[in-house]
Amino acid sequence: MADLEKLRQNLTARGYACQVFDTPQEAVCHLQHSLQGRTIGFGGSMTVREMGLFEALSRDNTCYWHWEKADTDQAARAQVYISSLNGVAETGELVNIDGAGNRVASGLYGHEKVIFILGTNKIAPDLDGAIWRARNIAAPKNAQRLHKKTPCAAKADRCYDCKSPERICSAMVLYWQRPTYIPEMEIIVVKQELGY
Ligand code: SF4
């Protein structure tokens, strides 16, 4: 069981606001309350989809998501960017792997605020564990979901560090702290499993 108070303290020390919620519904209510009249871009995220967050925030904001017919450039120009993470260390480091690059780029630069939402299944005790889960759990499950012709997609059992043309792991971003050109970053933790 992850130590959420330790995680919250370490994230705060690294420059992030951190909120912990018992349910996805509470997290959605928090975001509906805090985000109104904004342009919001979304990165590809099963967590976001499972929470119905795009639909909920579209009522009072202008939302762009390439999974919902927008293009990635619209999301890249939004005031706020929302996505999930592939691995989070209790020590406070964040890890994301991306194939196309839009998600990791927007998580680093170009927005007034970046929000990452995660379930407790994304949390590992330390940085090595967070990188391991991003590479060996999140990426293979996403390759399987996307029906990629990669060695990991059949069983989603581990990363084979493939050289496949359909490899979905192009870049891995590790955050040691909030990048200084992003004025606000918020990490929202939901006390249940969400996404991969
Ligand atoms: S590098 Fe290849 S085998 Fe490893 S997770 Fe990514 S797509 Fe799968």
Side-chain angles (χ1 to χ4, degrees), residues 59-127:
R59 289 176 206 141
D60 293 320
N61 301 275
T62 302
C63 294
Y64 303 108
W65 196 12
H66 62 293
W67 286 11
E68 293 287 343
K69 298 187 175 70
D71 63 49
T72 52
D73 286 348
Q74 290 171 303
R77 288 193 294 269
Q79 293 169 301
V80 179
Y81 195 78
I82 298 178
S83 189
S84 187
L85 292 158
N86 297 134
V88 178
E90 280 181 13
T91 43
E93 297 93 344
L94 316 176
V95 179
N96 250 344
I97 291 175
D98 202 1
N102 59 303
R103 192 166 61 103
V104 292
S106 274
L108 287 170
Y109 186 78
H111 302 277
E112 295 169 13
K113 181 169 185 171
V114 169
I115 300 169
F116 289 132
I117 308 170
L118 59 122
T120 48
N121 51 315
K122 304 290 183 72
I123 302 169
D126 55 23
L127 175 57

Side-chain angles (χ1 to χ4, degrees), residues 97 134-141 143 148-153 158-164 166-170:
I97 291 175
R135 297 193 69 190
N136 290 285
I137 297 176
K141 285 188 173 183
K148 294 295 184 184
K149 294 186 181 68
T150 61
C152 63
R158 67 178 175 91
C159 173
Y160 294 78
D161 195 18
C162 71
K163 302 297 181 288
S164 162
E166 296 200 13
R167 174 174 168 137
I168 65 163
C169 309
S170 303

Side-chain angles (χ1 to χ4, degrees), residues 3-4 26 31 33 38 70 85 93 95 102 110 114 122 145 148 156 184 188 192 194:
D3 185 339
L4 298 186
E26 289 175 35
L31 289 169
H33 183 72
R38 314 288 287 274
L85 292 158
E93 297 93 344
V95 179
N102 59 303
V114 169
K122 304 290 183 72
R145 172 178 63 84
K148 294 295 184 184
E184 276 188 89
I188 292 179
Q192 69 173 57
L194 285 169

